[in-house]
Amino acid sequence: MGNYHIRPFNDRADFEKMQQLEKDTWDMAPIPIHQTLTAHKNGGLLLGAFQEESLIGFSYGFAGFSDGSSYLCSHMLGIHPDYQKRGIGEALKHAQKREAARLGYEQVTWTFDPLEGVNAYLNLTKLKAVCSTYEVNCYGKMNDGLNAGLPTDRLKVDWWIQSDYVNSDFVFSEEQAKVFAEYGSTEEGCPKISLLHPEYLAEAALLVPVPRKFQEIKRHSFDLALKWRLDIREIFVQLFASGYTAVKLIQRPQEPVNYYLFVKDFRLTTRREEKK
């Protein structure tokens, strides 16, 4: 994997390197330095993964506030294309957790595309963030390679970094979960949602499939990609409204889909709640 170290940003040069990495990673206009620098100095947190003096990955979060409580809004996580799939993103998130706790945060929140399984596996299964909020077309129209043409629906996750759930070995089992949405295949062999089981809405745990290779589906058939977007929107909104929380993504390499695990009436005790 190569040697690298993770540290908070120190000076303007770090922020300039972040701008170049944004361009290299997403081919998009970078965030102005005056904004990232100000956020970093006022409760935000920018961390970089450095190989010698080269920035190969970063996380960017700023201070958030809602309903009388503060949290860290983790807005961007970027890894240089030459260094992706090497565990650097996960290492940055763990460093973010440590630094955010040191700053006094109990909660970190961010959004991700529910159809991007790699992100879901990291966020829910590995980091143990949880989700009960679906944001329809969160960012409006975007023209980058990952989002062009589709509504930018997102899941908003909550990572309770000082909770027993996040810091214990406990994991949810899917053994007793019911398959809420079944999948079939198109004539070309691509997966698609084929059947829902609303009669399972009282069950303690449910499984919902999403394609393992959504970007390949999008390149092969935009109409099928859009159908996945709208089907998953309908299903997730319904489950969240029915009291379910997404807690895990289960990888099934032998199938063309992975599965989200939803649990009913999920609760965790945070220090914030203990103080009430």
Side-chain angles (χ1 to χ4, degrees):
M1 182 171 63
N3 296 322
Y4 67 92
H5 63 282
I6 296 175
R7 63 165 174 80
F9 280 16
N10 289 330
D11 52 35
R12 184 179 175 86
D14 291 339
F15 293 86
E16 292 173 349
K17 292 173 183 178
M18 173 181 158
Q19 285 196 314
Q20 184 59 52
L21 186 50
E22 289 177 70
K23 296 176 184 177
D24 293 340
T25 304
W26 297 297
D27 189 26
M28 60 184 283
I31 302 173
I33 289 178
H34 63 77
Q35 197 224 342
T36 52
L37 185 60
T38 302
H40 190 57
K41 290 181 177 180
N42 292 274
L45 178 60
L46 283 96
L47 295 167
F50 293 86
Q51 192 169 68
E52 296 182 352
E53 295 303 315
S54 297
L55 183 68
I56 60 175
F58 74 91
S59 69
Y60 164 43
F62 53 83
F65 187 83
S66 179
D67 297 327
S69 298
S70 61
Y71 54 88
L72 182 69
C73 182
S74 183
H75 183 55
M76 298 180 89
L77 179 70
I79 311 297
H80 191 283
D82 293 344
Y83 294 88
Q84 293 176 2
K85 300 182 180 179
R86 301 187 187 186
I88 299 173
E90 182 177 359
L92 277 165
K93 292 302 292 186
H94 285 298
Q96 183 187 59
K97 176 187 172 187
R98 292 190 297 270
E99 286 295 311
R102 184 184 65 80
L103 291 171
Y105 289 109
E106 297 181 20
Q107 179 187 11
V108 183
T109 184
W110 64 92
T111 62
F112 73 96
D113 188 332
L115 293 172
E116 295 295 341
V118 172
N119 295 341
Y121 187 75
L122 171 62
N123 296 337
L124 303 184
T125 306
K126 288 190 171 184
L127 300 179
K128 299 172 75 173
V130 296
C131 174
S132 57
T133 303
Y134 193 98
E135 299 190 353
V136 174
N137 203 22
C138 179
Y139 300 117
K141 182 179 180 181
M142 297 180 69
N143 294 318
D144 61 292
L146 291 176
N147 298 287
L150 291 178
T152 53
D153 290 17
R154 295 292 185 265
L155 294 179
K156 186 180 84 69
V157 299
D158 294 303
W159 195 23
W160 294 98
I161 58 175
Q162 299 194 50
S163 68
D164 290 339
Y165 171 66
V166 170
N167 294 294
S168 71
D169 295 329
F170 174 80
V171 293
F172 281 99
S173 171
E174 63 269 20
E175 291 184 2
Q176 303 301 318
K178 299 287 188 180
V179 178
F180 182 72
E182 298 184 25
Y183 74 93
S185 296
T186 66
E187 293 180 357
E188 295 79 13
C190 296
K192 66 175 182 178
I193 295 291
S194 62
L195 180 65
L196 299 182
H197 290 284
E199 68 272 17
Y200 290 158
L201 280 176
E203 297 290 336
L206 298 174
L207 295 172
V208 175
V210 289
R212 282 199 302 118
K213 299 179 179 180
F214 178 65
Q215 290 300 323
E216 287 189 11
I217 288 177
K218 184 179 176 183
R219 287 190 292 269
H220 176 75
S221 172
F222 179 83
D223 288 343
L224 181 58
L226 179 59
K227 187 176 188 308
W228 268 109
R229 171 68 82 216
L230 299 180
D231 285 347
I232 287 302
R233 175 192 294 179
E234 179 181 355
I235 292 168
F236 279 45
V237 168
Q238 181 181 20
L239 292 183
F240 291 153
S242 299
Y244 287 90
T245 299
V247 298
K248 191 176 182 181
L249 185 88
I250 302 154
Q251 294 182 325
R252 297 279 180 87
Q254 72 277 15
E255 297 184 49
V257 297
N258 297 318
Y259 288 89
Y260 277 90
L261 176 65
F262 289 80
V263 296
K264 184 87 166 179
D265 300 327
F266 171 77
R267 291 282 297 172
L268 58 78
T269 301
T270 67
R271 295 186 182 185
R272 186 181 301 170
E273 290 180 327
E274 289 175 350
K275 294 174 183 176
K276 291 182 179 179

